[in-house]
Amino acid sequence: SLLGTHAAVGAMAVLGALLGAAYVMVGPVISPLILLTYVVGHIGFSTDARLRQAHESTIRGFVKVVEALDPLTKGRTERVAHLCRITGEQLRLPWDRMEGLRWAALLHDVSRLAVPGDLANREESLTPAEHEEAVRHRTVVHGVLAEVEFLRPMVAITAAAHTLLGQTEVITPIPREARILAAADLFDARTSTRSYREAMTQADAFASLRAEEWRFGDEVLDALERAVVSRGEIYGSPDAASAELLARQVKERAIRA
């Protein structure tokens, strides 16, 4: 209809203005994200069916942009999405919430593109002012992505997870999906080797998360640990306990076979 066309044009104009403001604030690094977001918005005004079919490929497109511009994220996105999925399965989340969580996990590192490299890759803890600057840059990207309707729920999960990881105490209730994403994100970060540090052992990573149980909730941490251990998956630096556990699980599976 003519009314629908005018609404679409108006919405695209608002999106264009927001993208322009984001470019001015963050700089050229956000250009690929701007292009992808604009294209997705255009597709969204075509037909709802077409948008639904494009969801998966669109999100994969965002992931490829992130990995191309920040090699540190390569493989990390898929690992975090996997950890979220198996944790959600342990918690028996409904299918629609599982899908939202999975897509949020795939998108969660996109906002990292807007954070200055010296802050994003900092070895030591950020000062309050530096953390505020990083949050400000992430917020710009969240705002851009949230302009695309189907991304909005996933962006809300991602933003809540980032907020949770930056808090020293839980001030407001955090959705379960965001707590799952935050726990998976931090577990992967601590079991991954970086240029400035060795990866933790799996046991130490779980223990470090338990020390921050107030942040994630015991039910989320229990589900994450059960999901990883029950599958015989080992992350991080090798340790005797993990090696023994894996050997026992392999033997048990061989006996059952």
Side-chain angles (χ1 to χ4, degrees), residues 59 84 93-108 150-158 177-178 181:
I59 292 176
C84 285
L93 290 184
W95 178 85
D96 58 333
R97 293 178 65 184
M98 285 286 291
E99 275 296 279
L101 173 59
R102 182 173 71 89
W103 284 348
L106 291 173
L107 282 173
H108 87 282
F150 93 87
L151 292 177
R152 204 165 294 147
M154 288 82 91
V155 172
I157 293 172
T158 299
E177 288 93 327
L181 176 54

Side-chain angles (χ1 to χ4, degrees), residues 209-237:
L209 262 63
R210 290 289 180 185
E212 300 177 63
E213 192 172 287
W214 60 269
R215 196 187 300 275
F216 313 106
D218 59 348
E219 81 282 4
V220 168
L221 295 182
D222 286 346
L224 173 61
E225 189 164 0
R226 281 198 311 270
V228 169
V229 172
S230 66
R231 286 167 172 76
E233 297 176 4
I234 300 295
Y235 298 87
S237 297

Side-chain angles (χ1 to χ4, degrees), residues 150-237:
F150 93 87
L151 292 177
R152 204 165 294 147
M154 288 82 91
V155 172
I157 293 172
T158 299
H162 287 144
T163 298
L164 180 62
L165 289 174
Q167 289 178 339
T168 55
E169 60 177 327
V170 177
I171 301 172
T172 58
I174 301 292
R176 177 178 280 187
E177 288 93 327
R179 289 187 282 117
I180 293 171
L181 176 54
D185 188 18
L186 197 54
F187 176 77
D188 180 78
R190 291 179 177 175
T191 54
S192 298
T193 297
R194 294 287 182 265
S195 59
Y196 51 83
R197 61 160 173 78
E198 288 292 324
M200 284 185 176
T201 65
Q202 181 163 297
D204 286 344
F206 278 131
S208 71
L209 262 63
R210 290 289 180 185
E212 300 177 63
E213 192 172 287
W214 60 269
R215 196 187 300 275
F216 313 106
D218 59 348
E219 81 282 4
V220 168
L221 295 182
D222 286 346
L224 173 61
E225 189 164 0
R226 281 198 311 270
V228 169
V229 172
S230 66
R231 286 167 172 76
E233 297 176 4
I234 300 295
Y235 298 87
S237 297

